[in-house]
Amino acid sequence: MRLTRAGEYGIRCVLHLARHGKGALVSRKEIAVRTDVPPHFLAKIAQQLSRAGIIEILQGANGGYRLLTDPSGITLLAVIEAIIGEISLNDCVGRPESCQNSTLCTVHRVWNKANQQLRATLQETNFATLASEEACCLTPFPETGDHKRPNGKK
Amino acid sequence: MRLTRAGEYGIRCVLHLARHGKGALVSRKEIAVRTDVPPHFLAKIAQQLSRAGIIEILQGANGGYRLLTDPSGITLLAVIEAIIGEISLNDCVGRPESCQNSTLCTVHRVWNKANQQLRATLQETNFATLASEEACCLTPFPETGDHKRPNGKK
DNA sequence: TCTATATAAGACTAAATATATCTTATATAT
DNA sequence: ATATATAAGATATATTTAGTCTTATATAGA
Ligand code: SF4
Ligand code: SF4
Protein backbone atom coordinates (compact mmCIF):
# COMPACT_ATOMS: atom_id res chain seq x y z
CA MET A 1 0.00 0.00 0.00
CA ARG A 2 2.66 2.41 -1.07
CA LEU A 3 3.43 4.76 -3.92
CA THR A 4 6.20 3.43 -6.16
CA ARG A 5 9.49 5.22 -6.60
CA ALA A 6 8.47 5.95 -10.18
CA GLY A 7 5.37 7.72 -8.91
CA GLU A 8 7.36 9.74 -6.41
CA TYR A 9 9.89 10.68 -9.10
CA GLY A 10 7.13 11.72 -11.47
CA ILE A 11 5.82 14.14 -8.87
CA ARG A 12 9.28 15.58 -8.31
CA CYS A 13 9.73 16.05 -12.03
CA VAL A 14 6.47 17.89 -12.52
CA LEU A 15 7.05 19.96 -9.40
CA HIS A 16 10.41 21.04 -10.70
CA LEU A 17 8.89 21.99 -14.04
CA ALA A 18 6.06 23.80 -12.30
CA ARG A 19 8.57 25.96 -10.47
CA HIS A 20 9.82 27.09 -13.86
CA GLY A 21 6.29 27.72 -15.09
CA LYS A 22 4.23 26.50 -18.04
CA GLY A 23 6.17 26.13 -21.26
CA ALA A 24 9.64 26.64 -19.76
CA LEU A 25 12.09 24.12 -21.16
CA VAL A 26 14.26 22.29 -18.67
CA SER A 27 16.79 19.63 -19.61
CA ARG A 28 16.37 16.09 -18.40
CA LYS A 29 19.80 16.27 -16.86
CA GLU A 30 18.99 19.29 -14.74
CA ILE A 31 15.75 17.74 -13.54
CA ALA A 32 17.50 14.47 -12.75
CA VAL A 33 20.22 16.17 -10.73
CA ARG A 34 17.99 18.60 -8.91
CA THR A 35 15.35 16.05 -7.96
CA ASP A 36 17.77 13.20 -7.29
CA VAL A 37 16.32 10.82 -9.87
CA PRO A 38 18.41 8.44 -12.01
CA PRO A 39 18.50 10.07 -15.50
CA HIS A 40 17.51 6.98 -17.47
CA PHE A 41 14.71 6.23 -15.07
CA LEU A 42 13.51 9.80 -15.44
CA ALA A 43 13.42 9.30 -19.20
CA LYS A 44 10.95 6.46 -18.84
CA ILE A 45 8.82 8.39 -16.41
CA ALA A 46 8.82 11.42 -18.67
CA GLN A 47 7.54 9.30 -21.51
CA GLN A 48 4.57 8.31 -19.41
CA LEU A 49 3.93 11.92 -18.43
CA SER A 50 4.15 12.81 -22.10
CA ARG A 51 1.61 10.18 -23.13
CA ALA A 52 -0.71 11.50 -20.44
CA GLY A 53 -0.50 14.95 -22.00
CA ILE A 54 1.11 16.55 -18.97
CA ILE A 55 4.50 17.41 -20.43
CA GLU A 56 6.04 17.81 -23.84
CA ILE A 57 9.39 16.26 -24.70
CA LEU A 58 11.76 18.07 -27.04
CA GLN A 59 14.49 16.02 -28.64
CA GLY A 60 17.81 17.10 -30.05
CA ALA A 61 20.49 19.43 -28.81
CA ASN A 62 19.13 21.76 -26.11
CA GLY A 63 16.20 19.43 -25.76
CA GLY A 64 14.33 18.76 -22.56
CA TYR A 65 10.88 18.72 -21.01
CA ARG A 66 8.23 21.33 -20.47
CA LEU A 67 4.73 21.57 -19.05
CA LEU A 68 1.92 21.68 -21.58
CA THR A 69 -0.58 23.30 -19.25
CA ASP A 70 -0.60 25.72 -16.38
CA PRO A 71 0.58 24.15 -13.08
CA SER A 72 -2.73 25.14 -11.49
CA GLY A 73 -4.48 22.73 -13.82
CA ILE A 74 -2.27 19.76 -12.98
CA THR A 75 -3.34 17.77 -9.96
CA LEU A 76 -1.29 15.44 -7.83
CA LEU A 77 -3.74 12.69 -8.74
CA ALA A 78 -3.23 13.20 -12.47
CA VAL A 79 0.53 12.90 -12.20
CA ILE A 80 0.43 9.86 -9.94
CA GLU A 81 -2.08 8.03 -12.08
CA ALA A 82 -0.14 8.86 -15.23
CA ILE A 83 2.71 6.85 -13.74
CA ILE A 84 1.16 4.03 -11.73
CA GLY A 85 -2.27 3.80 -13.33
CA GLU A 86 -5.59 4.43 -11.62
CA ILE A 87 -5.34 4.11 -7.87
CA SER A 88 -7.01 0.97 -6.57
CA LEU A 89 -6.62 0.19 -2.87
CA ASN A 90 -7.84 -3.36 -3.29
CA ASP A 91 -7.89 -5.52 -6.37
CA CYS A 92 -11.69 -5.62 -6.37
CA VAL A 93 -11.94 -1.83 -6.51
CA GLY A 94 -10.37 -1.55 -9.94
CA ARG A 95 -11.52 -4.93 -11.17
CA PRO A 96 -14.80 -5.90 -9.51
CA GLU A 97 -14.94 -8.99 -11.69
CA SER A 98 -11.86 -10.33 -9.92
CA CYS A 99 -14.07 -11.32 -6.98
CA GLN A 100 -17.46 -12.82 -7.65
CA ASN A 101 -18.83 -11.43 -4.40
CA SER A 102 -18.05 -7.81 -5.10
CA THR A 103 -21.64 -6.89 -5.89
CA LEU A 104 -22.78 -8.05 -2.44
CA CYS A 105 -19.68 -7.54 -0.34
CA THR A 106 -19.90 -5.00 2.44
CA VAL A 107 -16.13 -4.77 2.72
CA HIS A 108 -15.95 -3.94 -0.95
CA ARG A 109 -18.12 -0.89 -0.34
CA VAL A 110 -15.74 0.37 2.32
CA TRP A 111 -12.85 0.02 -0.08
CA ASN A 112 -14.76 1.85 -2.77
CA LYS A 113 -15.47 4.70 -0.40
CA ALA A 114 -11.89 4.91 0.87
CA ASN A 115 -10.57 4.77 -2.65
CA GLN A 116 -12.82 7.57 -3.83
CA GLN A 117 -11.89 9.67 -0.82
CA LEU A 118 -8.18 9.20 -1.39
CA ARG A 119 -8.44 10.11 -5.05
CA ALA A 120 -10.48 13.19 -4.15
CA THR A 121 -7.83 14.37 -1.71
CA LEU A 122 -5.07 13.96 -4.26
CA GLN A 123 -7.17 15.75 -6.84
CA GLU A 124 -7.63 18.76 -4.60
CA THR A 125 -3.94 19.53 -4.74
CA ASN A 126 -2.50 21.22 -7.82
CA PHE A 127 1.07 22.00 -8.73
CA ALA A 128 0.65 25.77 -8.71
CA THR A 129 -0.08 25.51 -5.00
CA LEU A 130 2.72 23.06 -4.38
CA ALA A 131 5.26 25.12 -6.31
CA SER A 132 4.26 28.44 -4.77
CA GLU A 133 5.17 27.55 -1.23
CA GLU A 134 8.58 28.38 0.10
CA ALA A 135 9.44 24.90 1.19
CA CYS A 136 10.07 22.38 -1.52
CA CYS A 137 11.32 18.89 -1.94
CA LEU A 138 14.12 19.49 -4.39
CA THR A 139 17.82 19.29 -3.83
CA PRO A 140 19.30 22.78 -3.32
CA PHE A 141 22.18 23.95 -5.48
CA PRO A 142 25.38 22.95 -3.70
CA GLU A 143 27.08 26.34 -4.11
CA THR A 144 24.34 28.49 -2.72
CA GLY A 145 21.94 26.24 -0.86
CA ASP A 146 19.20 27.94 -2.84
CA HIS A 147 16.70 26.25 -5.06
CA LYS A 148 16.91 28.97 -7.71
CA ARG A 149 20.20 30.16 -9.10
CA PRO A 150 20.74 33.91 -8.74
CA ASN A 151 22.00 34.18 -12.33
CA GLY A 152 21.55 32.30 -15.55
CA LYS A 153 24.82 30.44 -15.71
CA LYS A 154 24.73 26.75 -16.25
CA MET B 1 -0.90 1.17 -4.08
CA ARG B 2 -2.89 -1.95 -3.34
CA LEU B 3 -3.76 -4.18 -0.42
CA THR B 4 -1.88 -7.47 -0.52
CA ARG B 5 -3.63 -10.81 -0.81
CA ALA B 6 -2.57 -11.57 2.74
CA GLY B 7 -4.36 -8.45 3.93
CA GLU B 8 -7.49 -9.33 2.01
CA TYR B 9 -7.38 -12.88 3.38
CA GLY B 10 -6.95 -11.62 6.93
CA ILE B 11 -10.10 -9.57 6.58
CA ARG B 12 -12.01 -12.56 5.26
CA CYS B 13 -10.80 -14.67 8.15
CA VAL B 14 -11.85 -12.21 10.81
CA LEU B 15 -15.16 -11.56 9.10
CA HIS B 16 -15.91 -15.27 9.08
CA LEU B 17 -15.05 -15.52 12.76
CA ALA B 18 -17.13 -12.43 13.50
CA ARG B 19 -20.15 -14.08 11.96
CA HIS B 20 -19.77 -16.84 14.54
CA GLY B 21 -19.36 -14.33 17.36
CA LYS B 22 -16.73 -13.68 19.99
CA GLY B 23 -15.16 -16.80 21.45
CA ALA B 24 -16.68 -19.24 18.95
CA LEU B 25 -14.10 -21.77 17.82
CA VAL B 26 -13.85 -22.36 14.09
CA SER B 27 -11.37 -24.74 12.49
CA ARG B 28 -8.74 -23.42 10.15
CA LYS B 29 -9.97 -25.77 7.49
CA GLU B 30 -13.52 -24.45 7.60
CA ILE B 31 -12.32 -20.87 7.40
CA ALA B 32 -9.98 -21.70 4.52
CA VAL B 33 -12.70 -23.41 2.53
CA ARG B 34 -15.43 -20.90 3.22
CA THR B 35 -13.31 -17.83 2.50
CA ASP B 36 -11.36 -19.34 -0.39
CA VAL B 37 -7.93 -18.95 1.16
CA PRO B 38 -5.07 -21.49 0.80
CA PRO B 39 -4.94 -23.32 4.18
CA HIS B 40 -1.23 -22.97 4.75
CA PHE B 41 -1.32 -19.33 3.80
CA LEU B 42 -4.17 -18.83 6.25
CA ALA B 43 -2.00 -20.37 8.97
CA LYS B 44 0.63 -17.68 8.52
CA ILE B 45 -1.96 -14.93 8.47
CA ALA B 46 -3.62 -16.31 11.59
CA GLN B 47 -0.32 -16.19 13.41
CA GLN B 48 -0.05 -12.50 12.67
CA LEU B 49 -3.62 -11.91 13.83
CA SER B 50 -2.77 -13.85 16.96
CA ARG B 51 0.31 -11.75 17.72
CA ALA B 52 -1.81 -8.64 17.26
CA GLY B 53 -4.18 -9.92 19.92
CA ILE B 54 -7.15 -10.19 17.59
CA ILE B 55 -7.62 -13.94 17.60
CA GLU B 56 -6.61 -16.88 19.75
CA ILE B 57 -5.23 -20.04 18.20
CA LEU B 58 -6.06 -23.41 19.75
CA GLN B 59 -3.80 -26.30 18.85
CA GLY B 60 -4.48 -30.00 18.95
CA ALA B 61 -7.42 -32.10 17.86
CA ASN B 62 -10.55 -29.97 17.44
CA GLY B 63 -8.33 -26.93 17.41
CA GLY B 64 -8.99 -23.75 15.48
CA TYR B 65 -9.27 -20.02 15.79
CA ARG B 66 -11.52 -17.71 17.74
CA LEU B 67 -11.96 -14.01 18.31
CA LEU B 68 -10.60 -12.65 21.57
CA THR B 69 -12.81 -9.58 21.63
CA ASP B 70 -16.25 -8.56 20.50
CA PRO B 71 -16.46 -7.96 16.73
CA SER B 72 -17.69 -4.42 17.41
CA GLY B 73 -14.29 -3.61 18.89
CA ILE B 74 -12.31 -4.88 15.92
CA THR B 75 -11.77 -2.35 13.17
CA LEU B 76 -10.91 -2.95 9.56
CA LEU B 77 -7.80 -0.87 10.12
CA ALA B 78 -6.60 -3.05 13.01
CA VAL B 79 -6.90 -6.23 10.97
CA ILE B 80 -5.22 -4.79 7.90
CA GLU B 81 -2.34 -3.32 9.84
CA ALA B 82 -1.89 -6.53 11.80
CA ILE B 83 -1.11 -8.15 8.46
CA ILE B 84 0.67 -5.56 6.34
CA GLY B 85 1.99 -3.22 9.01
CA GLU B 86 1.03 0.42 9.44
CA ILE B 87 -0.40 1.91 6.29
CA SER B 88 1.99 4.31 4.61
CA LEU B 89 0.99 5.70 1.23
CA ASN B 90 4.46 7.00 0.49
CA ASP B 91 7.76 5.89 1.93
CA CYS B 92 8.30 9.26 3.60
CA VAL B 93 5.02 9.01 5.53
CA GLY B 94 6.14 6.04 7.58
CA ARG B 95 9.82 6.86 7.53
CA PRO B 96 10.31 10.64 7.29
CA GLU B 97 14.05 10.11 7.67
CA SER B 98 14.08 8.34 4.30
CA CYS B 99 13.87 11.74 2.60
CA GLN B 100 15.90 14.60 3.98
CA ASN B 101 13.39 17.13 2.71
CA SER B 102 10.39 15.72 4.51
CA THR B 103 10.33 18.42 7.16
CA LEU B 104 9.95 21.11 4.51
CA CYS B 105 8.22 19.26 1.71
CA THR B 106 4.73 20.42 0.79
CA VAL B 107 3.99 17.20 -1.02
CA HIS B 108 4.88 15.30 2.11
CA ARG B 109 2.15 17.14 3.98
CA VAL B 110 -0.43 16.10 1.42
CA TRP B 111 0.61 12.50 1.81
CA ASN B 112 0.41 12.76 5.57
CA LYS B 113 -3.10 14.14 5.33
CA ALA B 114 -4.26 11.54 2.83
CA ASN B 115 -2.73 8.78 4.90
CA GLN B 116 -4.42 9.93 8.06
CA GLN B 117 -7.74 10.24 6.28
CA LEU B 118 -7.48 6.75 4.85
CA ARG B 119 -6.63 5.24 8.20
CA ALA B 120 -9.53 7.09 9.79
CA THR B 121 -11.97 5.72 7.25
CA LEU B 122 -10.78 2.18 7.81
CA GLN B 123 -10.97 2.68 11.54
CA GLU B 124 -14.59 3.74 11.39
CA THR B 125 -15.64 0.31 10.21
CA ASN B 126 -15.89 -2.53 12.69
CA PHE B 127 -16.59 -6.19 12.16
CA ALA B 128 -19.88 -6.24 14.02
CA THR B 129 -21.22 -3.90 11.38
CA LEU B 130 -19.65 -5.84 8.54
CA ALA B 131 -20.90 -9.19 9.84
CA SER B 132 -24.43 -8.00 10.60
CA GLU B 133 -25.35 -7.11 7.07
CA GLU B 134 -27.09 -9.64 4.90
CA ALA B 135 -24.61 -9.54 2.10
CA CYS B 136 -21.24 -11.01 2.74
CA CYS B 137 -18.10 -11.91 0.92
CA LEU B 138 -17.88 -15.56 1.86
CA THR B 139 -18.45 -18.57 -0.27
CA PRO B 140 -21.93 -20.03 0.35
CA PHE B 141 -22.29 -23.67 1.31
CA PRO B 142 -22.69 -25.62 -1.93
CA GLU B 143 -25.66 -27.71 -0.72
CA THR B 144 -27.87 -24.89 0.40
CA GLY B 145 -26.48 -21.70 -1.02
CA ASP B 146 -26.66 -20.33 2.52
CA HIS B 147 -23.84 -18.90 4.51
CA LYS B 148 -24.93 -20.58 7.71
CA ARG B 149 -25.70 -24.26 7.94
CA PRO B 150 -29.21 -25.02 9.18
CA ASN B 151 -27.91 -27.72 11.53
CA GLY B 152 -24.70 -28.49 13.29
CA LYS B 153 -23.41 -31.26 11.06
CA LYS B 154 -19.93 -30.97 9.72
C1' DT C 1 -0.35 -44.53 26.82
C1' DC C 2 -1.06 -44.50 21.92
C1' DT C 3 -3.01 -42.58 17.88
C1' DA C 4 -5.26 -39.43 15.00
C1' DT C 5 -5.94 -34.78 14.23
C1' DA C 6 -4.95 -30.09 14.36
C1' DT C 7 -1.99 -26.05 14.39
C1' DA C 8 3.15 -23.87 14.92
C1' DA C 9 7.08 -22.35 12.95
C1' DG C 10 10.20 -21.67 9.74
C1' DA C 11 12.49 -23.03 5.35
C1' DC C 12 11.77 -23.00 0.74
C1' DT C 13 10.00 -21.91 -4.06
C1' DA C 14 7.88 -19.48 -7.83
C1' DA C 15 5.99 -15.57 -9.82
C1' DA C 16 5.28 -10.85 -10.14
C1' DT C 17 6.73 -6.25 -9.57
C1' DA C 18 9.85 -2.55 -8.86
C1' DT C 19 13.96 -0.30 -9.95
C1' DA C 20 16.85 0.62 -12.50
C1' DT C 21 20.69 0.34 -16.58
C1' DC C 22 22.29 -0.37 -21.30
C1' DT C 23 22.17 -0.12 -26.22
C1' DT C 24 20.86 1.54 -30.55
C1' DA C 25 18.20 4.87 -32.98
C1' DT C 26 16.52 9.47 -33.87
C1' DA C 27 16.10 14.45 -33.67
C1' DT C 28 18.05 19.19 -33.55
C1' DA C 29 21.15 23.32 -32.93
C1' DT C 30 25.30 24.93 -34.44
C1' DA D 1 28.91 17.11 -40.40
C1' DT D 2 29.15 16.98 -35.55
C1' DA D 3 28.02 17.23 -30.92
C1' DT D 4 24.32 16.91 -27.93
C1' DA D 5 20.01 15.48 -26.30
C1' DT D 6 16.09 12.42 -25.88
C1' DA D 7 13.32 7.86 -27.70
C1' DA D 8 12.42 3.31 -27.30
C1' DG D 9 12.99 -1.08 -26.11
C1' DA D 10 15.88 -4.89 -24.26
C1' DT D 11 18.09 -6.47 -20.38
C1' DA D 12 19.40 -7.01 -15.52
C1' DT D 13 18.88 -7.06 -10.53
C1' DA D 14 16.55 -6.77 -6.26
C1' DT D 15 12.58 -6.93 -3.62
C1' DT D 16 8.12 -8.28 -2.53
C1' DT D 17 4.30 -11.20 -2.91
C1' DA D 18 2.09 -15.46 -2.77
C1' DG D 19 2.05 -19.86 -1.80
C1' DT D 20 3.97 -24.58 -0.47
C1' DC D 21 6.48 -27.96 2.19
C1' DT D 22 8.55 -30.08 6.14
C1' DT D 23 9.21 -31.03 10.81
C1' DA D 24 7.70 -30.19 15.42
C1' DT D 25 4.23 -29.64 18.93
C1' DA D 26 -0.20 -29.78 21.25
C1' DT D 27 -4.65 -31.97 22.37
C1' DA D 28 -8.74 -35.11 22.40
C1' DG D 29 -10.18 -39.40 22.68
C1' DA D 30 -9.71 -44.59 22.28
S1 SF4 E 1 -14.35 -10.41 -0.54
FE1 SF4 E 1 -15.15 -8.31 -0.78
S2 SF4 E 1 -13.41 -6.97 -0.24
FE2 SF4 E 1 -12.55 -9.02 -0.58
S3 SF4 E 1 -11.95 -9.04 -2.78
FE3 SF4 E 1 -14.05 -9.85 -2.69
S4 SF4 E 1 -15.36 -8.04 -3.01
FE4 SF4 E 1 -13.32 -7.26 -2.46
S1 SF4 F 1 10.22 14.78 -1.84
FE1 SF4 F 1 8.58 15.15 -0.35
S2 SF4 F 1 6.94 13.70 -0.94
FE2 SF4 F 1 8.82 13.03 -1.99
S3 SF4 F 1 9.72 11.51 -0.60
FE3 SF4 F 1 10.66 13.49 -0.07
S4 SF4 F 1 9.34 14.29 1.59
FE4 SF4 F 1 8.18 12.67 0.59
Side-chain angles (χ1 to χ4, degrees):
Chain A
M1 197 96 83
R2 235 190 70 230
L3 184 70
T4 61
R5 297 301 289 167
E8 162 68 23
Y9 292 161
I11 294 168
R12 292 189 195 179
C13 173
V14 173
L15 182 53
H16 189 79
L17 288 171
R19 282 159 37 83
H20 285 80
K22 168 185 174 183
L25 186 66
V26 184
S27 75
R28 185 186 69 175
K29 183 174 181 178
E30 174 182 330
I31 300 172
V33 170
R34 296 290 304 285
T35 61
D36 195 26
V37 174
H40 283 90
F41 201 2
L42 179 56
K44 298 201 69 99
I45 292 164
Q47 285 158 30
Q48 292 179 275
L49 292 172
S50 168
R51 279 185 222 115
I54 295 169
I55 69 171
E56 182 185 26
I57 298 174
L58 297 190
Q59 288 196 48
N62 303 331
Y65 309 145
R66 70 171 152 217
L67 291 186
L68 278 175
T69 61
D70 192 85
S72 63
I74 306 175
T75 68
L76 203 46
L77 182 71
V79 172
I80 292 166
E81 295 198 333
I83 308 294
I84 67 169
E86 183 161 324
I87 287 175
S88 173
L89 290 174
N90 197 356
D91 199 37
C92 61
V93 175
R95 303 188 307 117
E97 73 279 10
S98 70
C99 182
Q100 59 179 357
N101 300 299
S102 59
T103 53
L104 299 171
C105 182
T106 55
V107 184
H108 180 71
R109 284 180 225 140
V110 177
W111 282 120
N112 275 345
K113 177 186 165 191
N115 205 74
Q116 179 207 325
Q117 195 175 44
L118 171 60
R119 296 183 75 242
T121 296
L122 297 176
Q123 194 157 32
E124 281 165 16
T125 311
N126 69 66
F127 278 83
T129 305
L130 290 173
S132 71
E133 312 202 17
E134 284 284 329
C136 81
C137 61
L138 307 175
T139 308
F141 281 102
E143 320 95 76
T144 64
D146 286 344
H147 287 287
K148 287 177 182 168
R149 287 179 191 275
N151 55 29
K153 75 173 175 189
K154 173 73 183 305
Chain B
M1 197 95 83
R2 234 191 69 229
L3 185 70
T4 61
R5 297 302 288 168
E8 162 69 21
Y9 292 162
I11 294 167
R12 291 189 196 178
C13 173
V14 173
L15 182 53
H16 189 78
L17 287 170
R19 281 159 37 84
H20 286 80
K22 169 185 173 183
L25 185 67
V26 184
S27 75
R28 185 186 71 176
K29 182 174 181 179
E30 175 182 329
I31 300 172
V33 170
R34 296 290 304 285
T35 61
D36 195 26
V37 175
H40 282 90
F41 201 1
L42 179 56
K44 297 199 71 99
I45 293 163
Q47 285 158 31
Q48 292 180 274
L49 292 172
S50 169
R51 279 185 223 115
I54 295 169
I55 69 171
E56 183 185 25
I57 299 175
L58 297 190
Q59 288 196 48
N62 302 332
Y65 308 145
R66 69 170 152 218
L67 292 186
L68 278 175
T69 61
D70 193 85
S72 63
I74 306 173
T75 69
L76 203 46
L77 182 70
V79 173
I80 292 166
E81 296 198 332
I83 307 295
I84 66 169
E86 183 162 324
I87 288 175
S88 174
L89 290 173
N90 197 357
D91 199 36
C92 60
V93 174
R95 303 189 307 118
E97 73 279 9
S98 70
C99 182
Q100 59 178 357
N101 300 299
S102 59
T103 53
L104 298 171
C105 182
T106 55
V107 184
H108 181 71
R109 285 180 223 141
V110 177
W111 282 120
N112 275 344
K113 177 186 165 190
N115 206 74
Q116 179 207 325
Q117 194 175 47
L118 172 60
R119 296 183 74 242
T121 296
L122 296 176
Q123 195 158 32
E124 280 165 17
T125 311
N126 70 66
F127 278 84
T129 305
L130 289 173
S132 70
E133 311 202 18
E134 283 283 330
C136 82
C137 60
L138 308 175
T139 309
F141 282 101
E143 319 94 77
T144 64
D146 285 345
H147 288 286
K148 287 177 183 166
R149 286 181 193 274
N151 54 28
K153 75 173 174 187
K154 173 74 182 308

